[in-house]
Every structure is written in C-alpha cells, then in structure tokens.
Amino acid sequence: MQIALFEMNRENKKNGLPELNMGIGMNTGTVMAGVLGSDIYAEYTVIGEEVNLASRIEAYSLRGQILVSEATYQLVRDYVQTGSPADVYVKGKKDPVNLYEVVAIPSMNRVVPRQEIRKSPRVETNISFKFQLLRGKSVAPEQYTGTVLDISYNGVLAALDIEVPAQADMKLELNLSIVGTSATDLYARVRRMIERDGQRLAGIEFTSVPPQSSRTIRRFVQLLIQGGDSK
C-alpha cells in the first residue's frame, strides 16, 4: 500500500494534483469479528482490546510509515527488516508498549519509501515556557518567556517575546502540567526565525536533553497525540 501510494503521488505531482499520505499501524491478537449493529444499520467489523491498540499505534505513524506492535513483530521478525524498538504510552495501558517501524521485506525486494523527514511525531499545543540565552558557554541571567505552538521529541516551534537571532543557543524550561512535571535543563539552538501574523516564531532544536526530561517530553507528546487523556 505504501509503495503503491508513493508511485501514485509521483504521478499526481507530474499532473499538478495534490499528494495523498497515510501512516499504517498494525497489531496481532484475538478480536471479535462479525456483522454488528441493528436492523437500521449494520456492518462487518472487528472490536476488542487488540483493535484499540492497533488504532493507537496508527496514531503514532508518520506519513509513509508502517508501525507494528511487539505481538506482530514476533510473528514477522524472521523475514522483515525493522528499525530499533521505540517505547510509547497508549491509552488503556499502564506500561509503555514497544513499536517497530517496518522498513523492508528483503525476500520480496520490497522497501518502504521514506516520505517523512521528521524523526518523531509533532503535535500542536499552547504552553508557556521560560528561556535564557547563552553567551559563549555561560547562561545569561536575563530570563524571557515564550509560547510553544507545537512540539516534537526533538524540538519546538515557539512564539518568542523578544527578537532572537538564528543559530542562537538557549536554555529552556517547559511546564508540562499534563504529565505533572516540567522538562528542565534543556539546551537548544534556534534554527530559523520567521514572522507570521505579527508574531516572531522560532524553530528550535534541542541540542542537550537530560534523560528524565527526554522521557517527560516523549510522554507529553504521546498523550497529546491521543487527546491528552492519561487514562
């Protein structure tokens, strides 16, 4: 499906048509299958915990990506090529689950086309944060504020209260109340500055993140993907 969609998008681009993209999430387990509904409306479908997990996995997939659960991976590990496992939190699960990105089926000479340059999911948000600029290797005492407009595992897009030059280094503190804590001692670099609707927007890439703050940011992003409900 991903290969076919990639080829179709190449044709669409030639003809000036919009591209279509999708992510795929897969899980394996026991489900209830059948025609469900009433006399007014019914359809053949599947329901159950394993179906819910497949839906959660799909929510994490980037454009062109195929993600599979641990259960699926154990069944196909001998003939598919995957990336390293990634732990994510999903609704209905107390502990994180392992996800694997399928990148190829060597025996069939099938390679999943890479369509997404991002390395992690990115979600919209609206949270305030504090930052200080670096002067050489020292953190300047002046403290400024901004608003995070979207966030990924590796950086943020933020509206800043002051003008900051591109390539400036800074130290950040993010208030991630949805997970009951903050991400502190973050060091980052402004990769680009843009003006939009009268706002100064900065594309900021994390350059040094303590392990605990990294876990906090990942969980924050993962909860937002699923609607912000930690249950």
Side-chain angles (χ1 to χ4, degrees):
M1 290 169 65
Q2 294 290 22
I3 293 171
L5 188 58
F6 181 76
E7 294 298 331
M8 187 186 77
N9 279 334
R10 290 208 299 191
E11 290 300 315
N12 282 357
K13 188 174 182 179
K14 291 178 183 178
N15 297 320
L17 298 174
E19 294 185 359
L20 299 175
N21 294 288
M22 67 178 176
I24 296 174
M26 300 179 65
N27 182 38
T28 303
T30 301
V31 303
M32 179 180 293
V35 178
L36 302 177
S38 66
D39 292 338
I40 299 175
Y41 178 79
E43 64 176 330
Y44 186 87
T45 187
V46 290
I47 60 174
E49 181 179 352
E50 304 299 345
V51 179
N52 295 338
L53 179 55
S55 177
R56 305 300 183 202
I57 294 171
E58 188 274 335
Y60 284 109
S61 60
L62 302 174
R63 292 176 294 182
Q65 208 172 28
I66 301 172
L67 298 179
V68 301
S69 67
E70 182 71 37
T72 302
Y73 172 73
Q74 292 301 328
L75 294 173
V76 302
R77 59 187 299 176
D78 292 334
Y79 59 90
V80 301
Q81 181 181 344
T82 67
S84 300
D87 291 341
V88 301
Y89 286 90
V90 299
K91 286 183 180 179
K93 298 286 185 181
K94 180 180 179 181
D95 298 319
V97 299
N98 281 341
L99 300 185
Y100 298 81
E101 179 181 3
V102 176
V103 296
I105 305 177
S107 62
M108 299 179 66
N109 197 29
R110 301 280 188 179
V111 177
V112 179
R114 186 61 173 167
Q115 299 178 45
E116 179 63 80
I117 62 173
R118 290 184 296 167
K119 298 179 180 179
S120 82
R122 180 178 290 274
V123 292
E124 293 184 358
T125 186
N126 192 311
I127 57 173
S128 61
F129 74 102
K130 301 175 183 178
F131 69 93
Q132 296 164 274
L133 297 176
L134 270 63
R135 294 173 183 163
K137 295 184 178 180
S138 300
V139 179
E142 297 84 5
Q143 192 170 80
Y144 306 100
T145 59
T147 303
V148 174
L149 303 180
D150 70 44
I151 183 171
S152 72
Y153 300 159
N154 306 303
V156 300
L157 176 67
L160 304 182
D161 294 341
I162 65 168
E163 184 73 33
V164 175
Q167 304 306 314
D169 292 312
M170 59 173 60
K171 181 181 179 182
L172 300 85
E173 178 179 336
L174 303 178
N175 178 19
L176 307 180
S177 57
I178 193 174
V179 290
T181 187
S182 298
T184 59
D185 293 327
L186 306 174
Y187 288 85
R189 178 167 295 162
V190 177
R191 291 302 185 187
R192 61 191 178 98
M193 288 292 300
I194 59 175
E195 291 280 342
R196 182 188 300 168
D197 299 328
Q199 288 184 306
R200 290 181 289 263
L201 303 184
I204 301 172
E205 181 182 27
F206 300 141
T207 54
S208 177
V209 183
Q212 180 58 46
S213 290
S214 178
R215 289 190 291 269
T216 298
I217 292 170
R218 290 175 68 89
R219 188 169 189 187
F220 179 79
V221 172
Q222 291 163 11
L223 288 176
L224 287 184
I225 289 173
Q226 300 172 79
D229 186 353
S230 60
K231 296 182 180 179

